[in-house]
Amino acid sequence: MPRRISSLFTFYHKFVLVPIIIVWSIFFWVVIKPIDGIGSQIPFMGFWVLMSGFWFWMSWDLKKVSVDDRNFYVSNYRTEITIPISEIAHVGEFLFSEPRRVTIKLHHATEFGDKIVFLATYRAFAFLSPHPVVDELVQMTVRRTMTD
């Protein structure tokens, strides 16, 4: 039975938060008029456009990931694919985010490309410490390559 290793917040980060940021930006741009006129809105909106773009870029390729002894299962919420553990070439993480952003680089490209990005489960007060799921995936890869 596959065990989910990606955060339950993945759907929220990918499909809910970006539209909220965009709607919030439009709300501030259209509804809230600054006292000093339109000129004082430009830096504020520039900041929001940059932040919205950055969040969209960070969230666009997030996937839902589950794993068992032989495979990991990757979903973009429309399609799910199965990838053998032996296809993992490298596992890395972005230490400055929580939930932790984990990247799995593959030996061969799949329907989702040659890398899989997901948010690992949230850990409170875990700043700059490695996420255990990264080590788990590395150990699984080593075991699979030794048995194959």
Side-chain angles (χ1 to χ4, degrees), residues 33-52:
K33 301 291 182 190
I35 297 170
D36 297 335
I38 193 78
S40 64
Q41 278 184 321
I42 292 172
F44 175 77
M45 282 313 297
F47 171 77
W48 275 103
V49 166
L50 286 174
M51 289 304 295
S52 297

Side-chain angles (χ1 to χ4, degrees), residues 93 95 97-100 120-133:
E93 63 184 312
L95 289 174
S97 69
E98 197 59 53
R100 194 63 50 90
T121 55
Y122 179 77
R123 298 175 308 141
F125 309 111
F127 186 68
L128 294 180
S129 66
H131 198 288
V133 77

Side-chain angles (χ1 to χ4, degrees), residues 3-6 67 91 93 100 102 118-121 123 130-140:
R3 176 179 53 91
R4 185 174 179 151
I5 59 173
S6 60
V67 67
V91 181
E93 63 184 312
R100 194 63 50 90
V102 177
F118 68 95
L119 296 177
T121 55
R123 298 175 308 141
H131 198 288
V133 77
V134 173
D135 185 50
E136 178 186 350
L137 288 170
V138 169
Q139 293 303 319
M140 289 175 80

Side-chain angles (χ1 to χ4, degrees), residues 44-131:
F44 175 77
M45 282 313 297
F47 171 77
W48 275 103
V49 166
L50 286 174
M51 289 304 295
S52 297
F54 176 74
W55 198 271
F56 182 75
W57 175 71
M58 291 290 287
S59 300
W60 180 253
D61 58 353
L62 292 177
K63 304 289 186 275
K64 179 174 83 169
V65 178
S66 300
V67 67
D68 65 18
D69 292 339
R70 303 184 70 77
N71 302 303
F72 63 104
Y73 306 90
V74 182
S75 170
N76 65 358
Y77 293 95
R78 283 177 289 190
T79 305
E80 181 174 282
I81 62 173
T82 302
I83 303 171
I85 296 284
S86 58
E87 275 297 305
I88 297 176
H90 176 73
V91 181
E93 63 184 312
F94 183 63
L95 289 174
F96 301 107
S97 69
E98 197 59 53
R100 194 63 50 90
R101 186 179 163 90
V102 177
T103 302
I104 301 172
K105 294 193 180 183
L106 305 170
H107 291 293
H108 302 95
T110 66
E111 183 177 336
F112 297 142
D114 63 350
K115 72 177 183 174
I116 305 298
V117 180
F118 68 95
L119 296 177
T121 55
Y122 179 77
R123 298 175 308 141
F125 309 111
F127 186 68
L128 294 180
S129 66
H131 198 288

